[in-house]
Amino acid sequence: MNRRLVILESVSGPLYWVILAASLWVLLRGHNEPGGGFIGGLVAVSASVLWAIAKGSDAAARRLPTGSPVRLAAIGVGVGALSGMPAFFSGESFLTHWWGEIPLGFTEFAVSTVLLFDIGVYLCVWGALAGYALALLALGEADDGGDATEEGRS
């Protein structure tokens, strides 16, 4: 028995992108108000779970930026570790964050390694928790296929 949810399948495409945009907003908002890499990553996981429920866990894994949840989490850990390197090479404690400004002519754009660290946390949380959730959903998909076979034999 195929339990397709046609409405969910048709709405999941645009909703996926809306949820990812919201996750990026939460990521970037986190420096001045509550939010940041961890919460933004959790919101991104919800987009992946929505896609997995609508289209299947394999399709959701392929939709991740790297195509693999493990690779995405590993890149996140690498980016987070990279954010501590400027302080390390300048003789300060690792993960002492650097703050600076980029002059744009008419204004200045404030940057810091904190944002780089938050992006690493975002990617790591998205990859690790999406991988876990997609693996659990894949077990449910395998069970649904097994139940249909058993019903056909009876």
Side-chain angles (χ1 to χ4, degrees), residues 45-140:
V45 169
S46 69
S48 294
V49 168
L50 169 71
W51 197 262
I53 291 171
K55 308 281 185 174
S57 57
D58 288 338
R62 286 190 306 270
R63 192 134 180 135
L64 292 172
T66 61
S68 164
V70 173
R71 200 171 322 144
L72 185 61
I75 289 171
V77 169
V79 169
L82 184 69
S83 73
M85 291 304 184
F88 182 73
F89 289 127
S90 66
E92 297 178 23
S93 299
F94 184 72
L95 285 180
T96 300
H97 291 289
W98 173 82
W99 297 84
E101 294 178 348
I102 299 174
L104 298 176
F106 58 92
T107 188
E108 292 181 345
F109 182 66
V111 293
S112 73
T113 56
V114 175
L115 179 59
L116 189 61
F117 180 78
D118 268 350
I119 290 171
V121 170
Y122 176 87
L123 295 175
C124 184
V125 168
W126 188 10
L129 293 180
Y132 181 69
L134 296 180
L136 288 176
L137 288 169
L139 290 175

Side-chain angles (χ1 to χ4, degrees), residues 4 6 14-15 18 26 29 33 40-41 44 52 61 65 68 78 84 88 90 105 112-113 127 153:
R4 276 185 67 198
V6 178
L15 194 54
V18 169
V26 169
R29 181 177 184 246
E33 296 183 29
S68 164
F88 182 73
S90 66
S112 73
T113 56
R153 291 183 194 167

Side-chain angles (χ1 to χ4, degrees), residues 29-42:
R29 181 177 184 246
H31 297 293
N32 299 321
E33 296 183 29
F38 187 79
I39 298 170
L42 290 177

